[in-house]
Amino acid sequence: MSELSGKVQTVLGLVDPDQLGRTMTHEHLTMTFECCYFPPPPGDEEVAENPFQMQHMHWLRQNPYSCHENLLLQQETGAVRDELLAYRKAGGGTIVENTTTGIDRDLPTLKQLAKDTGVHVIAGAGYYVDSTHTEATKRMSVEKLTDIIISEVLHGADGTDIRCGVIGEIGTSWPITESETKVLRATAHAQTQLGCPVIIHPGRNPTAPAEIVRILQEAGGDISKTVMSHLDRTIFDDGELLEFAKLGSYLEYDLFGTEMLNYPYNLEVDMPSDSQRVKALAFLVKEGYDDKIVVAHDIHTKNRLTKYGGHGYSHILKNIVPKMLMRGISQNQVDKILIDNPKCWLTFK
Ligand SMILES: CC(=O)NCCS(=O)(=O)O
């Protein structure tokens, strides 16, 4: 039995799972999203160059990916520290920080933030989407990728001794590329050896989550210890959602706080409102999936921080939980979603 068994691995070391408390399973505290810059609508170039003004806040919410500066969350460590203190005050205990190789994971900063704020921070191992894979990564065998991921969990990542406590977010595009497929297989192999939690970023197509589960399963992955992220922008049909839920992964609604009319990465997608997200959670609870739901905000741009008029990391605890209760999700079920399900997922087998 490994020393990890029955424990959760934070950036400050192993903790007992009962210490986690309320947990956001998909956030970023420091990262860059430059890989996903999207040019502004014609005529809006000037706003995009100087967006952090009161009169541009609405524009920024609608076009968060069209302003280079907005994509540099790593410049906001001070604001994030204040946010984490507010998160604790609001009753939060833990944050899973999903930044992986390709979007500037910064483990020393995560460790310092955890020390400064008392929030448990769990870091992610592995690789983001193909467009961020280096040529060297693309050339690696599944075995080599597996060794690297295992080492990031057992020994530390990016030349530090700071250890990751989950694998992911593992990035995939649609269609899934050859390099991403290798990373998914390596993820499953590493999970088999470590008994650890996994979290996946699916491509923007309703069939992507099931295809990912198929690849992981074929490589021996444990789907019951895997979170499928971003379902709120990926599966919209109730029937398709239930079909996917039957496959047994955790079902993550993690874009709480995001309001966007035109989702630039897939204009077919109508990004839901928070009310529609809560409705989807209530539907899944009614269908018996309260043991499988997890939630978060996936903050990855500056405009979503309270410093810039955004909702911050406490939005779910402050605003969404009361709405969940109003829509028929019981306190016991809310506690499962915020405490029990993340705890169960994050505990090493
Ligand atoms: C950091 C990250 O991958 N966020 C997801 C953004 S998306 O628009 O939902 O894909």
Side-chain angles (χ1 to χ4, degrees):
M1 192 158 142
S2 107
E3 64 153 354
L4 293 167
S5 186
K7 300 280 185 199
V8 172
Q9 183 151 267
T10 76
V11 291
L12 295 180
L14 295 177
V15 300
D16 191 88
D18 286 330
Q19 289 181 29
L20 298 184
R22 295 184 185 85
T23 300
M24 299 296 132
T25 49
H26 195 134
E27 302 294 348
H28 299 270
L29 304 177
T30 171
M31 65 169 278
T32 174
F33 207 45
E34 280 274 61
C35 60
C36 298
Y37 173 77
F38 197 88
D44 285 1
E45 292 81 1
E46 220 172 284
V47 186
E49 271 167 34
N50 192 8
F52 294 106
Q53 304 176 41
M54 207 53 195
Q55 68 266 33
H56 294 157
M57 284 300 140
H58 177 70
W59 182 89
L60 204 47
R61 261 196 297 278
Q62 293 295 329
N63 302 280
Y65 306 122
S66 301
C67 162
H68 285 290
E69 208 197 318
N70 198 36
L71 307 178
L72 304 175
L73 189 65
Q74 75 268 42
Q75 295 177 339
E76 298 295 340
T77 304
V80 168
R81 181 179 295 111
D82 293 345
E83 290 261 4
L84 291 183
L85 292 169
Y87 175 69
R88 268 199 79 185
K89 216 167 163 189
T94 298
I95 283 193
V96 182
E97 215 279 359
N98 278 252
T99 307
T100 43
T101 300
I103 47 176
D104 278 6
R105 179 175 52 199
D106 180 352
L107 292 164
T109 296
L110 297 188
K111 188 170 177 178
Q112 194 59 50
L113 284 168
K115 272 188 186 159
D116 291 350
T117 65
V119 173
H120 296 294
V121 176
I122 294 158
Y127 298 84
Y128 194 56
V129 298
D130 185 290
S131 62
T132 70
H133 293 186
T134 63
E135 285 310 311
T137 301
K138 287 183 185 174
R139 279 196 303 273
M140 281 180 200
S141 64
V142 173
E143 292 71 25
K144 176 71 184 163
L145 291 162
T146 307
D147 287 347
I148 291 174
I149 293 172
I150 288 178
S151 178
E152 289 182 348
V153 173
L154 290 184
H155 306 297
D158 306 334
T160 75
D161 62 356
I162 305 168
R163 296 166 190 184
C164 299
V166 302
I167 303 176
E169 63 181 299
I170 295 300
T172 62
S173 316
W174 188 257
I176 302 167
T177 70
E178 197 185 326
S179 189
E180 288 167 349
T181 303
K182 280 195 295 176
V183 172
L184 285 172
R185 291 192 180 127
T187 295
H189 294 170
Q191 187 187 38
T192 304
Q193 293 189 45
L194 296 168
C196 68
V198 162
I199 182 163
I200 305 289
H201 162 113
R204 298 161 184 116
N205 183 286
T207 59
E211 177 63 9
I212 291 161
V213 165
R214 187 188 66 72
I215 294 169
L216 290 173
Q217 245 163 357
E218 271 181 20
D222 180 353
I223 303 308
S224 74
K225 261 193 115 43
T226 299
V227 168
M228 190 56 66
S229 305
H230 312 325
L231 287 180
D232 28 3
R233 58 102 167 117
T234 311
I235 300 182
F236 302 95
D237 178 81
D238 283 352
E240 287 177 24
L241 182 59
L242 290 183
E243 276 309 299
F244 178 70
K246 278 190 210 154
L247 300 180
S249 77
Y250 285 99
L251 309 164
E252 188 175 76
Y253 284 73
D254 53 25
L255 293 164
F256 275 100
T258 308
E259 296 278 355
M260 203 184 294
L261 205 51
N262 298 308
Y263 178 59
Y265 307 133
N266 183 352
L267 291 172
E268 298 281 300
V269 165
D270 284 328
M271 189 62 92
S273 66
D274 279 354
S275 295
Q276 289 168 314
R277 289 185 180 98
V278 171
K279 203 168 177 187
L281 298 186
F283 170 70
L284 285 169
V285 165
K286 183 171 73 61
E287 294 291 331
Y289 288 99
D290 48 337
D291 289 338
K292 284 294 177 185
I293 302 167
V294 289
V295 293
H297 312 89
D298 186 18
I299 291 183
H300 53 279
T301 53
K302 289 186 186 184
N303 69 300
R304 297 177 67 196
L305 300 174
T306 51
K307 173 181 172 184
Y308 295 112
H311 52 80
Y313 298 88
S314 306
H315 173 56
I316 289 178
L317 297 181
K318 285 187 165 167
N319 306 312
I320 300 301
V321 166
K323 180 86 179 182
M324 285 161 78
L325 295 167
M326 229 194 297
R327 288 290 176 264
I329 302 176
S330 70
Q331 184 61 56
N332 182 42
Q333 287 160 335
V334 168
D335 289 345
K336 278 190 187 183
I337 293 168
L338 291 177
I339 303 170
D340 303 334
N341 299 346
K343 178 172 90 171
C344 194
W345 168 56
L346 290 165
T347 304
F348 279 67
K349 285 209 291 193

